Amino acid sequence: MSDDITIILNMDYIDILAFKDISNFDIRNIERYLIYQEENQEYDLATIVTYVNIGLDKKGYSEYSEYTKEEALNDLTILVNKYHKLPDDYEPDDLVALSYHNSYTYYLRSEAAEAYERLQSAALLDNVIIYPFSAYRSYDTQNTLYTRYKERDGEKKADTYSARPGFSEHQLGLAIDIRSNTLTDNLTNNDYEWMLDNSYKYGFIVRYPKGCQHITQFMEEPWHLRYLGIEVATKVHNSGLTYDEYYDLYMKETQD
Ligand SMILES: [Zn+2]
């Protein structure tokens, strides 16, 4: 508290009252809010606060925190993005193979695997035929993938569609990329709509939705689903927010 007061006393005049109804306002970030607001006058104050809390005033990967293995293992709703890294040697201890397999076997953490199978069956009943394309990926696998993309497209472009090793939800064993039968290298619009409308009922969200690249730092990825459990996935779905925003607004309190 005395630190908080020192921050305010050391600042030039600011309209602190303007922040009073913003639930995720964090006094430690006040200077960053003000700078970010200067640079982004099109945003309202609540948006400024959330975006700065996420870390968006800094370039992705430039400043990040790193979870412990225990944190990663014990929290199925953990936020992983360009500001929150997993330990290089983190590997979930409850990976199970999905019952679908073709030439390759896919793994998810057991709860997510069961949920995925329910999702796939429910989709099938609505004539949406999906199958896994990639699920759990180790740090090393992600490193190989990212390096390949970087060599092919350059770092800047690769960063819009592939996470650097340690920063991928796939390393959590809680993310799955799907394809649909009707369009093999992506999802059809119908299939995508179905996922947007229904995946939360089985505990999944479409993690990188359209028009959110400035928040998620990834291009639209209709095929990438993140498991959060039915309760949280439903709340995220109903909020209309990205998980980065939702986490800052509603999940952080319980984590700190
Ligand atoms: Zn993915």
Side-chain angles (χ1 to χ4, degrees):
M1 189 65 195
S2 65
D3 281 354
D4 296 351
I5 292 168
T6 313
I7 292 171
I8 297 174
L9 288 177
N10 287 334
M11 295 187 64
D12 295 335
Y13 170 79
I14 55 151
D15 184 6
I16 197 84
L17 280 179
F19 291 97
K20 80 173 169 43
D21 294 326
I22 299 175
S23 63
N24 54 339
F25 169 72
D26 182 344
I27 186 73
R28 292 167 298 179
N29 291 341
I30 184 90
E31 293 191 271
R32 289 167 61 196
Y33 297 146
L34 297 174
I35 293 166
Y36 195 66
Q37 189 181 31
E38 271 301 304
E39 295 163 351
N40 298 278
Q41 301 196 2
E42 70 276 24
Y43 294 146
D44 63 25
L45 208 50
T47 304
I48 298 279
V49 167
T50 301
Y51 284 10
V52 168
N53 290 354
I54 292 171
L56 297 173
D57 57 329
K58 311 234 163 89
K59 231 170 128 60
Y61 303 123
S62 63
E63 280 180 38
Y64 55 83
S65 58
E66 182 163 331
Y67 294 113
T68 63
K69 284 192 207 176
E70 290 68 34
E71 286 171 325
L73 202 56
N74 295 331
D75 182 6
L76 294 181
T77 63
I78 195 166
L79 177 72
V80 171
N81 61 17
K82 294 183 183 183
Y83 306 93
H84 296 279
K85 183 181 178 295
L86 293 167
D88 293 359
D89 57 350
Y90 172 68
E91 193 185 313
D93 62 2
D94 58 348
L95 292 170
V96 296
L98 297 178
S99 61
Y100 177 95
H101 45 87
N102 194 352
S103 51
Y104 192 80
T105 307
Y106 302 97
Y107 296 87
L108 286 177
R109 293 189 67 172
S110 58
E111 187 178 318
E114 278 176 36
Y116 175 74
E117 277 156 24
R118 281 194 292 271
L119 171 76
Q120 189 172 264
S121 306
L124 186 61
L125 290 177
D126 283 343
N127 231 2
V128 174
I129 304 167
I130 55 164
Y131 55 90
F133 188 74
S134 185
Y136 168 70
R137 295 199 291 257
S138 69
Y139 179 94
D140 287 343
T141 304
Q142 189 67 27
N143 191 27
T144 306
L145 266 181
Y146 176 77
T147 305
R148 192 191 303 157
Y149 293 141
K150 194 170 86 168
E151 282 164 6
R152 187 185 72 188
D153 289 336
E155 183 177 82
K156 196 172 173 204
K157 179 139 189 243
D159 279 337
T160 67
Y161 66 85
S162 177
R164 296 185 190 177
F167 297 87
S168 173
E169 287 191 329
H170 286 282
Q171 193 184 336
L172 285 172
L174 297 171
I176 183 162
D177 295 335
I178 53 172
R179 294 292 184 265
S180 72
N181 209 29
T182 35
L183 186 67
T184 51
D185 62 350
N186 208 323
L187 299 180
T188 63
N189 284 342
N190 281 346
D191 296 344
Y192 184 29
E193 287 296 321
W194 192 94
M195 281 305 144
L196 285 170
D197 293 343
N198 295 285
S199 61
Y200 73 92
K201 297 172 192 166
Y202 307 89
F204 290 89
I205 59 163
V206 175
R207 179 68 176 87
Y208 307 116
K210 191 176 189 152
C212 297
Q213 185 168 352
H214 63 296
I215 309 166
T216 64
Q217 311 263 295
F218 284 103
M219 63 175 219
E220 180 188 16
E221 290 193 358
W223 57 84
H224 179 108
L225 304 179
R226 163 68 196 269
Y227 182 73
L228 292 170
I230 293 172
E231 190 188 335
V232 175
T234 301
K235 287 179 181 168
V236 176
H237 171 83
N238 292 342
S239 75
L241 299 167
T242 63
Y243 192 49
D244 309 85
E245 296 165 286
Y246 187 88
Y247 190 92
D248 184 67
L249 280 158
Y250 304 112
M251 302 290 287
K252 247 177 25 181
E253 288 290 283
T254 53
Q255 314 284 329
D256 284 348

